[in-house]
Amino acid sequence: MSNVVVMGAQWGDEGKGKIVDLLTRKCDVIVRFQGGNNAGHTVLVGDKQYILHLIPSGILHPGKKCLIGNGVVLDPAVFCREVETLRDKDVDVSPARLMISRKAHVIMPYHKALDVARECHKTNESKIGTTGRGIGPCYEDKMSRIGIRAADLAMPELLRAKIEAALLEKNALLAGLYGGEAMTVDAVFDEVMAVAPRVVPHLADVTAEIEAAWAAGQHVMFEGAQGTHLDIDHGTYPFVTSSNTVSGNAAAGSGIAPTGLDRIVAIVKAYTTRVGAGPFPTEQMNEAGDYLQQKGHEFGATTGRKRRCGWLDAVVLREAVRLNGPTDIALTKLDVLSGLKELQICTAYEYQGGTITVAPQEQNGMAHVTPVYETMPGWDDDITGCTTWESLPAPTRAYIARIEELTGVRVSLVSVGPERDQTISRG
Ligand code: GTP
């Protein structure tokens, strides 16, 4: 296997964890390139459970190197907590195998405070369902050129001066506009410096690390978080995350040229889910939606809230294909569809009096489309024991073939259950 990007093709929660775990086995280095501690994988190894929000799950594979790229926003306290939890379970988290780009931006206490204060002041309709972890405000500061970068954690004087400058504005918002408490430079500085010495040894030149891996003939995996339609530019704005989740950002967010990306695997769930607010054309607020929600155990990983569920949307998938250029698709949770008499696939939208086959680009345009469905026969058979293409029932194979036709992309991996061996590889 060569260098591979793994990204979600829908609204996140496509079941990337399992596919990432499978592909990690064939890689030497795993890189995160966007987002922050809003990703989340629960990984079971033997009888030990690990919950990782920031550090790639590749850390659980001895000998693999994990890199946190410049495109990630890093909460130093969360990083230290995850490192300590892993160390307590005898995982090697030494700086030699866990590195952070010096250019990654740092989530500061005022970012978290602002995130929460802002969301509290929004009306219910305008809440975007932020996780309150300061990720959006941290990216804002990066773009405003007032952000604090990981390298600054090793330079206390610079760090203090930057905090002082940032707080002028932040306090005007926190205490002025939102009526909360102002933060002092000392308190913020002390809070960050309490953890900085444990982060600094992990700082590295991530570009150089990837180059060194390539020079040694090693393979690198770029692990995306969230999903394509949560992308800050291309997603269902404003109900999106604050970074680019598309495959192209694997290069920019880790400091390499796009020519270094050989394979792009789009993770597609066999139906569609969405957490929180935002348009979702194929949502089924009925028996079919409940069936998918219950059979697929579709609960938010962080909040425990039920995920919204609906039919597969090929318009959403085709858009993901245009934006990511996947070489192949890994189709997950296909077993969840077993037992449904008929399956619907949305192939187009009715919108403003016409039929469109690509997503509208106006703000919230997706909220005003009517899906056009085609119906396919379902299957009753339990497919969780299928290990070959041939052993899948004919209607299941037809469903996969139709996805390939509608997207123009080959389905190379089919997941029929949560376990590692419940995967059909088509080579
Ligand atoms: P994301 O990075 O957000 O995609 O995280 P994730 O991979 O943890 O996805 P999610 O939070 O949706 O959790 C996926 C859950 O589905 C986990 O409990 C997996 O064990 C399970 N799972 C993964 N693949 C399959 C599958 O093919 N069938 C079934 N039934 N469960 C699966």
Side-chain angles (χ1 to χ4, degrees):
M1 187 170 89
S2 39
N3 302 298
V4 60
V5 183
V6 181
M7 33 66 50
Q10 293 148 315
W11 279 287
D13 309 313
E14 292 92 352
K16 289 186 290 295
K18 173 179 158 175
I19 307 297
V20 162
D21 184 63
L22 275 171
L23 295 174
T24 295
R25 279 150 215 285
K26 301 179 183 168
C27 291
D28 307 284
V29 178
I30 297 94
V31 190
R32 271 204 63 189
F33 57 89
Q34 45 76 225
N37 51 305
N38 52 349
H41 295 310
T42 304
V43 189
L44 257 180
V45 181
D47 57 350
K48 290 184 187 165
Q49 177 175 293
Y50 303 85
I51 300 176
L52 298 170
H53 295 291
L54 177 65
I55 298 174
S57 49
I59 201 76
L60 304 173
H61 296 252
K64 317 266 175 193
K65 211 178 248 189
C66 291
L67 309 176
I68 296 178
N70 57 278
V72 173
V73 288
L74 179 105
D75 184 327
V78 170
F79 177 79
C80 291
R81 261 204 312 275
E82 289 196 358
V83 162
E84 259 128 57
T85 311
L86 289 164
R87 194 181 286 128
D88 284 350
K89 294 185 176 172
D90 298 323
V91 176
D92 175 8
V93 278
S94 61
R97 67 181 295 249
L98 176 59
M99 300 178 197
I100 302 166
S101 166
R102 292 192 179 87
K103 300 179 197 167
H105 278 248
V106 177
I107 300 174
M108 301 292 286
Y110 45 79
H111 291 140
K112 288 183 259 191
L114 259 179
D115 216 356
V116 173
R118 272 199 198 134
E119 194 76 351
C120 286
H121 276 74
K122 283 184 179 155
T123 58
N124 271 346
E125 299 79 63
S126 61
K127 282 191 200 297
I128 54 167
T130 165
T131 48
R133 294 175 184 170
I135 292 167
C138 182
Y139 275 116
E140 284 170 34
D141 280 6
K142 171 177 175 172
M143 296 310 170
S144 308
R145 275 72 59 86
I146 57 162
I148 291 176
R149 307 212 293 181
D152 303 341
L153 298 177
M155 305 175 80
E157 270 178 43
L158 174 67
L159 179 67
R160 200 182 168 90
K162 284 177 112 175
I163 291 173
E164 212 169 321
L167 278 183
L168 279 179
E169 219 182 49
K170 306 304 171 200
N171 278 337
L173 290 171
L174 283 172
L177 187 61
Y178 298 124
E181 283 203 24
M183 292 180 143
T184 67
V185 177
D186 280 344
V188 172
F189 180 76
D190 291 348
E191 189 174 332
V192 176
M193 285 309 288
V195 286
R198 282 179 279 156
V199 176
V200 169
H202 294 271
L203 299 184
D205 177 341
V206 163
T207 304
E209 290 300 324
I210 297 172
E211 282 171 344
W214 285 341
Q218 295 185 334
H219 303 304
V220 181
M221 179 168 73
F222 299 87
E223 179 185 337
Q226 294 92 41
T228 298
H229 294 277
L230 294 173
D231 183 281
I232 182 75
D233 288 303
H234 306 291
T236 43
Y237 193 88
F239 301 100
V240 292
T241 195
S242 33
S243 61
N244 284 114
T245 57
V246 292
S247 63
N249 197 28
S254 52
I256 56 140
T259 42
L261 311 173
D262 305 302
R263 180 181 174 197
I264 296 166
V265 181
I267 316 291
V268 173
K269 182 144 63 182
Y271 48 96
T272 314
T273 60
R274 176 162 200 162
V275 172
F280 179 0
T282 61
E283 181 172 17
Q284 298 299 301
M285 289 192 280
N286 54 26
E287 220 175 291
D290 291 346
Y291 187 89
L292 296 171
Q293 195 277 323
Q294 279 159 31
K295 192 142 182 247
H297 300 290
E298 298 293 352
F299 292 97
T302 328
T303 56
R305 259 189 308 165
K306 282 183 181 176
R307 290 181 184 145
R308 301 157 65 193
C309 295
W311 299 118
L312 191 71
D313 188 337
V315 181
V316 157
L317 296 186
R318 272 197 302 267
E319 190 74 4
V321 170
R322 297 168 77 199
L323 295 168
N324 296 290
T327 47
D328 49 323
I329 285 174
L331 187 66
T332 64
K333 300 191 98 166
L334 193 60
D335 54 299
V336 174
L337 298 182
S338 296
L340 287 164
K341 276 215 156 28
E342 287 184 334
L343 304 172
Q344 314 279 335
I345 302 183
C346 166
T347 55
Y349 298 147
E350 279 168 11
Y351 182 61
Q352 296 181 342
T355 303
I356 56 171
T357 51
V358 292
Q361 299 197 337
E362 293 80 21
Q363 171 148 324
N364 258 338
M366 290 272 265
H368 304 289
V369 301
T370 308
V372 178
Y373 288 110
E374 68 179 39
T375 304
M376 296 199 70
W379 57 89
D380 265 336
D381 320 56
D382 175 5
I383 59 169
T384 55
C386 294
T387 51
T388 61
W389 174 251
E390 292 70 30
S391 59
L392 287 171
T396 318
R397 278 183 275 149
Y399 187 71
I400 300 170
R402 188 67 185 129
I403 293 172
E404 291 182 319
E405 270 169 20
L406 288 166
T407 58
V409 183
R410 190 177 134 76
V411 175
S412 64
L413 281 172
V414 180
S415 176
V416 293
E419 299 300 324
R420 201 172 294 150
D421 56 4
Q422 291 178 302
T423 314
I424 299 168
S425 172
R426 298 173 73 200

